[in-house]
Amino acid sequence: MKRLPIATLSLALCFLSTHSQGQTAPSYQDQAKLHDIAKKVSAKRIEHDIRTLVGFGTRHTLSDTQSETQGIGAARRWIKGEFEAISKACNGCLEVYYQAETISGEPRIPNATEVVSVIAVQRGNHDPDRYVMMSGDIDSRVSDVMDTTSISPGANDNASGIAGTLEAARVLSQYQFSGSIVYAALAGEEQGLFGGKILAQQAQKDGWRIKAVLNNDMIGNIEGINGVINNTTARIFAEGTRQTETPEEARTRRFTGGEVDSPSRNLARYIDWMADRYIPNLDTMVIYRLDRFGRGGHHRPFNDLGYPGVRIMETNENYHRQHQDLRTENGIEYGDTIAGVNFAYAAKLTALNAVSLAGMAWAPSPPANVQIQGAVQPSTSLNWDALSAEQNPQLKGYKIYWRYTDAPQWQFSRYVGNVNKYTLENVVIDNYFFGVASVSKDGAESPVVFPGAAGAFGE
């Protein structure tokens, strides 16, 4: 979300101090470790990984699986080897494995094909069944989505996302966390989001408590089709009302709100704040849409099952460099090549992912079963389930947030201690949206949870 000019911000603060009954802007305890994490992300390592992935010629889902140097098989073996090397460097801190399923009878996978993703899990020390995830896509394509042999570099789409995921694993594996972090190199995206579907369904079957999915799909281009060149902004796509909402939940939401406060939207607000606090010279645009207009990405299979998930990507796309045969026409170079990737920018967005994952994995779990009362009352009361001390030994307490209903980001906050209910005196429920975050002893916070089913992050 865009930062306001100083003059505009000053006027806004004056307005708020006059009209918000003594409320103050959100307080936040700076995390030195997150600054260190952001600085450790290396553009050179990201460049090396993108160049390596491009070197496999094509990474089409239906391409060669036997060659050691070309095709999807060679690419996924290399990715697995990189995760294993990262794990070796941290004394086996990652569980690295292939996740595969045979797909057939689909428009883009007509014949039986094994879709193979590479998954690496960094287990949390206290709450290992709570997960936050970063993902990228292994596969690439040219103009014809069924062309399995033509050179398809996929430098930005989506070697950049895979390289960012590998680099985040290198950096974050140097630390230990309370919750678990998943680094996912997903297959079959261009053929129908199959890698994400397989992982999301397996996670649900295994009872994973997924609190965040950060899908990185094209994080390296700064030169837009519209002529704009900009390396200071990024987009976070986040859907509103969750796909799994029941008719009864929809009826409740109609009267209590929550259309713009799904867990995915509040995850996006969390990442937006992380950009402001820890990533120099980066503004994020939180876009209230599942994805780009009429298009999709690998966060969607998780959203389909009700998990919080967003897409992080560049602001300025160049469609000449997406899904194109390598060629030159009318002086325009088409194709997704290395020339279209800005490695420093890819590192910047990787750092945003890394600090967001670390912040959530260090923080206590988001509060569960958040409820709100205050109709026809002068004050607003919230209550929530107390978090397990065994799973959240780092818990210090909870913080209530609220904002005007047309404000994009949380405007006010109050730390209320280690309680499971609190009343905001003389703050009228009808004038604001509210939420609750959990806070660790060193100040790490969870995303804000909007009350009711509309905003729930799960148990």
Side-chain angles (χ1 to χ4, degrees), residues 41-53 78 159-168 170 219 338 341-351:
V41 172
S42 168
K44 289 184 177 180
R45 288 195 296 259
I46 289 173
E47 177 180 359
H48 172 270
D49 290 349
I50 293 175
R51 290 186 181 277
T52 300
L53 288 162
W78 176 80
S160 65
I162 292 292
T165 302
L166 286 168
E167 180 64 5
R170 289 190 190 98
I219 60 171
I338 285 286
V341 179
N342 183 289
F343 304 110
Y345 179 72
K348 187 183 293 189
L349 268 60
T350 298

Side-chain angles (χ1 to χ4, degrees), residues 140-292:
S140 63
R141 58 165 286 191
V142 289
S143 301
D144 178 0
V145 72
M146 300 305 291
D147 183 342
T148 68
T149 58
S150 294
I151 297 299
S152 176
N156 188 45
D157 184 14
N158 187 25
S160 65
I162 292 292
T165 302
L166 286 168
E167 180 64 5
R170 289 190 190 98
V171 173
L172 297 182
S173 61
Q174 301 172 35
Y175 301 82
Q176 294 186 349
F177 300 94
S178 293
S180 296
I181 302 177
V182 178
Y183 311 97
L186 299 174
E189 192 265 352
E190 301 290 4
Q191 307 308 112
L193 308 178
F194 286 102
K197 291 176 183 177
I198 295 166
L199 178 54
Q201 290 167 3
Q202 189 63 49
Q204 185 181 60
K205 180 179 178 181
D206 293 343
W208 286 16
R209 291 164 37 238
I210 298 178
K211 304 302 179 182
V213 175
L214 280 54
N215 172 40
N216 287 255
D217 195 343
M218 296 188 293
I219 60 171
N221 182 73
I222 65 170
E223 301 177 14
I225 193 73
N226 57 358
V228 173
I229 301 176
N230 187 302
N231 67 353
T232 65
T233 63
R235 294 181 291 180
I236 309 171
F237 286 91
E239 74 167 352
T241 304
R242 58 174 11 126
Q243 179 73 8
T244 56
E245 183 180 64
T246 67
E248 181 58 31
E249 289 168 349
R251 182 182 183 280
T252 299
R253 177 175 53 78
R254 184 183 182 193
F255 292 96
T256 62
E259 295 84 357
V260 294
D261 279 277
S262 66
S264 293
R265 293 268 169 93
N266 278 317
L267 171 60
R269 291 186 179 100
Y270 182 93
I271 298 168
D272 174 66
W273 261 351
M274 286 295 187
D276 289 342
R277 290 162 173 163
Y278 297 106
I279 311 299
N281 202 27
L282 180 67
D283 280 328
T284 56
M285 302 165 55
V286 175
I287 298 180
Y288 289 176
R289 186 179 293 129
L290 172 65
D291 208 312
R292 298 159 300 157

Side-chain angles (χ1 to χ4, degrees), residues 263-385:
S264 293
R265 293 268 169 93
N266 278 317
L267 171 60
R269 291 186 179 100
Y270 182 93
I271 298 168
D272 174 66
W273 261 351
M274 286 295 187
D276 289 342
R277 290 162 173 163
Y278 297 106
I279 311 299
N281 202 27
L282 180 67
D283 280 328
T284 56
M285 302 165 55
V286 175
I287 298 180
Y288 289 176
R289 186 179 293 129
L290 172 65
D291 208 312
R292 298 159 300 157
F293 203 87
R295 302 176 74 179
H298 250 147
H299 55 301
R300 194 177 85 196
F302 295 91
N303 289 157
D304 286 347
L305 297 183
Y307 295 121
V310 299
R311 177 180 185 146
I312 297 174
M313 69 176 300
E314 63 210 25
T315 301
N316 300 294
E317 294 183 69
N318 191 323
Y319 308 122
H320 296 157
R321 298 172 179 171
Q322 297 175 16
H323 303 174
Q324 296 284 349
D325 292 338
L326 299 179
R327 67 193 192 280
T328 300
E329 292 180 359
N330 300 319
I332 298 173
E333 294 184 3
Y334 290 86
D336 188 0
T337 65
I338 285 286
V341 179
N342 183 289
F343 304 110
Y345 179 72
K348 187 183 293 189
L349 268 60
T350 298
L352 174 61
N353 279 266
V355 298
S356 299
L357 293 167
M360 290 185 284
W362 269 322
S365 183
N369 194 30
V370 179
Q371 303 295 325
I372 191 167
Q373 302 84 32
V376 297
Q377 300 292 324
S379 303
T380 300
S381 298
L382 295 105
N383 60 277
W384 53 92
D385 291 346

Side-chain angles (χ1 to χ4, degrees), residues 51 111 135 204 250 284 315 358 405-406 425 458:
R51 290 186 181 277
N111 301 318
S135 69
Q204 185 181 60
T284 56
T315 301
T405 60
D406 60 352
E425 299 291 346

Side-chain angles (χ1 to χ4, degrees), residues 125-128 387-394:
N125 291 334
H126 304 117
D127 194 4
L387 291 175
S388 161
E390 181 179 359
Q391 292 177 325
N392 301 275
Q394 78 278 39

